[in-house]
Amino acid sequence: TQLLEQSPQFLSIQEGENLTVYCNSSSVFSSLQWYRQEPGEGPVLLVTVVTGGEVKKLKRLTFQFGDARKDSSLHITAAQPGDTGLYLCAGVYAGGTSYGKLTFGQGTILTVHP
Amino acid sequence: NAGVTQTPKFQVLKTGQSMTLQCAQDMNHNSMYWYRQDPGMGLRLIYYSASEGTTDKGEVPNGYNVSRLNKREFSLRLESAAPSQTSVYFCASSSVGTGGVGGYTFGSGTRLTVV
């Protein structure tokens, strides 16, 4: 079973602070995605990274894909209460006949206090 | 609005009862998926359908069956519900071949409790 380790599991910070969430695996990904989920709703795609070393920015969110395509990080600058939610990384492993099946990390519950 | 529609949103079952969770997408996606979400465990794949007419087991298929009724619809059936199947169930769809790159579109989930 291929594992996707996400850390930390919980993060509670004050408005204005910066934070980083990590996603790691011993296997290589063909692509990796980050989702955000709010209570009572399904996950919503934030970004997809496919190239080793790739960096993508979405307003205050910066996503990085490791050079070896085995890890990724999500950095939020100056967090706001509206950033509160569950953040999930998910990857498609390279090789095999995965048909684009996503393997999800355990998720990071982020709470940003005013 | 285009997207993935799941029904019902909430359900309570008694142990041993059966039920079918319905899912439909209107984005002309080829691939559809059923996941369950439990605290601290992320989302785990139950079954998937890479294209109309095909279904395959995922990580946790025991106790479930699926039917890809047509390109739009993918249902999940619990034949004899057990308390361990208490969970939130999500249906998702994606474009074939680019599912990992294109991203999944998720429904809003079915919260199932088995007592």
Side-chain angles (χ1 to χ4, degrees), chain B residues 24-43:
Chain B
Q25 53 93 8
D26 58 5
M27 296 169 290
N28 202 35
H29 284 165
N30 285 302
S31 301
M32 298 185 73
Y33 312 83
W34 277 105
Y35 282 85
R36 60 178 288 174
Q37 186 174 35
D38 302 291
M41 303 189 75
L43 286 97

Side-chain angles (χ1 to χ4, degrees), chain A residues 9 31 33 35 37 40-43 48 86 88 92 99-102 104-106, chain B residues 33 35 37 40-43 45 48 50 90 99-104 106-108:
Chain A
Q9 190 173 355
S31 67
Q33 301 173 352
Y35 290 80
Q37 184 179 15
E41 298 295 329
T48 300
L86 174 66
L88 295 156
V92 178
Y99 291 104
K101 287 187 300 178
L102 282 176
F104 282 83
Q106 307 97 316
Chain B
Y33 312 83
Y35 282 85
Q37 186 174 35
M41 303 189 75
L43 286 97
L45 182 64
Y48 68 101
F90 287 99
V101 177
Y104 285 16
F106 283 86
S108 58

Side-chain angles (χ1 to χ4, degrees), chain A residues 9-55:
Chain A
Q9 190 173 355
F10 300 96
L11 202 50
S12 180
I13 61 172
Q14 294 297 126
E15 182 176 2
E17 294 183 358
N18 302 329
L19 66 110
T20 302
V21 178
Y22 299 94
C23 187
N24 295 285
S25 175
S26 58
S27 301
V28 177
F29 299 107
S30 59
S31 67
L32 191 139
Q33 301 173 352
W34 286 90
Y35 290 80
R36 179 168 175 262
Q37 184 179 15
E38 298 193 33
E41 298 295 329
V44 175
L45 179 68
L46 295 173
V47 75
T48 300
V49 287
V50 297
T51 305
E54 184 175 3
V55 177

Side-chain angles (χ1 to χ4, degrees), chain B:
Chain B
N1 291 335
V4 177
T5 303
Q6 289 184 238
T7 56
K9 290 189 180 297
F10 300 94
Q11 183 72 49
V12 178
L13 290 179
K14 294 182 179 179
T15 297
Q17 286 185 319
S18 62
M19 78 162 296
T20 300
L21 281 65
Q22 306 288 350
C23 175
Q25 53 93 8
D26 58 5
M27 296 169 290
N28 202 35
H29 284 165
N30 285 302
S31 301
M32 298 185 73
Y33 312 83
W34 277 105
Y35 282 85
R36 60 178 288 174
Q37 186 174 35
D38 302 291
M41 303 189 75
L43 286 97
R44 292 182 292 168
L45 182 64
I46 304 171
Y47 270 93
Y48 68 101
S49 172
S51 61
E52 185 178 357
T54 68
T55 61
D56 285 286
K57 295 178 180 180
E59 182 184 354
V60 288
N62 292 343
Y64 305 95
N65 284 298
V66 291
S67 295
R68 184 73 183 267
L69 305 172
N70 47 55
K71 190 171 185 178
R72 290 186 65 248
E73 299 172 289
F74 188 37
S75 63
L76 178 71
R77 182 162 177 83
L78 287 70
E79 291 290 351
S80 179
S84 61
Q85 295 178 304
T86 293
S87 187
V88 181
Y89 292 85
F90 287 99
C91 177
S93 69
S94 71
S95 299
V96 68
T98 59
V101 177
Y104 285 16
T105 300
F106 283 86
S108 58
T110 295
R111 188 174 297 274
L112 175 67
T113 302
V114 183
V115 298

